[in-house]
Amino acid sequence: MKEWHSAAELAALSLPGLPTTDRAIQLRALRENWRFRKRQGRGGGREYHISVLPTAAQIRLTLLDTARVKTAKPPPLPSDALWRWFDGLSEEKKARARRCAGILDAVVVLQRSGVPKDEAVATVACRHGVGTSSVYHWFSRVAGRDRADWLPALAPRHAGRTAIRACPQEAWDLFRADYLSPAAPAFSECYSRVQRAAAAHGWPLPSERAMLRRLLDCVHPAVAALCRTGMVKTSPGHPAQEHDPSGFHMLEAAYGHGHGWNLWVEWPDGAVCRPYMVAFLDLSSGVILSYRVDTAASARAVRLALGDLAEIRGIPKVCWFGGGAGFASAWLTGGAPGRYRLRIRDEEPLSTLDGLGVGVHWAAPGDGGAAPAERAFRHVTSGVARHPALQGAGAGGGSAGEAEGRPRRVVALDDFLSVLVSEIGAHNSRIGRMMEKHGGRDVHGGCAQAPAVRAGGELRRLWLPAAEGVMVNSRDGTIRLSGNRYWANFLSLHLGETVAVRFDPDFLHDGLHVYHRDGTYLGHTPVIEAPGFGDAETALDYARARRAWLRTGLPVAGTSPRTASVTL
């Protein structure tokens, strides 16, 4: 608002209570001693402050200045700025601008043919169902602009509701600190707590919906995710990485991953706990190649699953592993760079995978997007967790290390394994959708015919877990393990000694592989069945085997267990 005015300006406005000539205003100013200042610019003179004028004159000046501000037009924007603004509009607003420009073009065409403007506007407005005043308003908006700039000039400029309702700074700080905490509380809970604090302090608080709009406008989604879930989980605004496994042929690359089932399962020894599965997938086709189930995440389950893969399917060239401690065991991946969770020691021995020439890579820990097994496990876990045969045995979403409440239902291990085998078979059969990527070839047939080297019986011993410090009976040379007895001819040379054995815990009746304390392989010993008292046939077989052993002879120290014999 302008505060200083010259006598000529006041006389030209014909204000109430003031003379209408500049000389008369100057004489009155001298007589009443008005407040003045020297006028800047050509001609000099004096300017009088608005406060010395009569009240009626002050009111009229205020109204005139307000009207002048409202009617003042902003300077037109340049063409490039207009088009940048137009490109950011929605398609609906752009369509409205095109319709307005088409109506104005029709009016211009009629004018060029000799029709008066008023008649042309009325005709086109009636044809398009708009008011003539709207057409004249559109003409005023494009006045002085080229036809090429009509679209951005005619585009609607309303932006909807964008204002944020005022909120006391104390209430906003309290709400923001609560919502952006690592506990990640729900929005409604945070607002309820702030509402109670506002009632105690007398703060005027916006509605819950208004507070939500303020949160969305003032806090970036990436910042909210970072504060509530941590750096690893921050993903808004950044695309997930997608992998293309088409460069591998079938059974060339495998991925090992572990999964804990939230189901209560009873094991043969009577223990009730959640089962843990280790599975290996073919990266090219997505087929689950092998898997083992154990009571907990352990290196033993990883070794057995990898052994099944090497013996049944073949030895892959490359393996990707998750960040679990079972995959990072020194026996399996010792010395491999990039191994998570465990340090690499200089005295670490060469791992079995390195000895077989299998390349080892590691997926980033805690990053589900870097784990290609997540999709396959999602299919299998959804089918198992919701299977009718396992209903009521759910253990919730907690980890196995949490305090376990009383389960509603416990399923037997055999029942769980039967459902798991069925669902994995169903998943592998759905991999038929991958046939297109493999040029129409059958995936399962391709797995069977893939050029992979399969591990033989000698190599399989490397995958079996070992039990150190097993005592050979000093009287009969038997070995007892997990309630079973094992015996072979060569054990007679090691009566009372401590040996190491390797075995498959799921197939104890397949026998044990026995090693000397220095690591020398001694041989394989089968299990000795315990027949019933009335089983005469088994007793006769035992007698024949004993007579054959006596005829063959006892092993002699210093000779090979397989070739040693003496004459009785």
Side-chain angles (χ1 to χ4, degrees), residues 164-177:
I164 302 176
R165 185 176 176 183
C167 177
Q169 189 64 34
E170 298 84 356
W172 173 244
D173 292 342
L174 180 62
F175 172 81
R176 186 175 53 182

Side-chain angles (χ1 to χ4, degrees), residues 20-38:
T20 57
T21 62
D22 54 347
R23 180 57 182 170
I25 293 177
Q26 291 175 358
L27 293 175
R28 183 173 177 177
L30 289 174
R31 186 171 57 251
E32 297 179 1
N33 196 20
W34 286 0
R35 179 186 173 188
F36 71 92
R37 72 177 182 180
K38 290 184 178 182

Side-chain angles (χ1 to χ4, degrees), residues 408-491:
R408 293 182 299 167
R409 180 193 171 202
V410 177
V411 297
L413 179 61
D414 292 340
D415 297 337
F416 168 74
L417 292 179
S418 64
V419 174
L420 180 60
V421 170
S422 173
E423 292 301 322
I424 290 180
H427 166 76
N428 288 345
S429 64
R430 284 199 301 266
I431 305 300
R433 63 180 179 271
M434 303 290 290
M435 290 176 59
E436 182 178 348
K437 186 186 70 174
H438 293 285
R441 294 175 295 167
D442 178 39
V443 172
H444 301 289
C447 287
Q449 301 173 4
V453 179
R454 291 172 175 80
E458 298 296 328
L459 188 59
R460 175 171 171 74
R461 297 198 304 268
L462 298 176
W463 312 105
L464 298 179
E468 305 286 347
V470 179
M471 181 68 68
V472 179
N473 192 286
S474 60
R475 295 184 58 187
D476 55 10
T478 58
I479 296 177
R480 289 187 176 269
L481 184 69
S482 299
N484 297 320
R485 285 198 311 159
Y486 302 87
W487 181 85
N489 190 5
F490 64 87
L491 290 177

Side-chain angles (χ1 to χ4, degrees), residues 178-187 190 222-230 233:
D178 189 10
Y179 182 78
L180 299 180
S181 64
F187 176 85
C190 299
V223 175
L226 173 63
C227 296
R228 290 168 62 87
T229 59
K233 301 295 183 180

Side-chain angles (χ1 to χ4, degrees), residues 173-227:
D173 292 342
L174 180 62
F175 172 81
R176 186 175 53 182
D178 189 10
Y179 182 78
L180 299 180
S181 64
F187 176 85
S188 299
E189 297 176 0
C190 299
Y191 182 79
S192 178
R193 285 191 283 268
V194 174
Q195 198 173 28
R196 293 194 296 268
H201 293 82
W203 297 333
L205 194 65
S207 64
E208 184 174 357
R209 190 173 183 84
M211 187 69 83
L212 178 60
R213 287 196 300 269
R214 184 184 185 90
L215 176 68
L216 296 177
D217 291 337
C218 299
V219 180
H220 194 275
V223 175
L226 173 63
C227 296

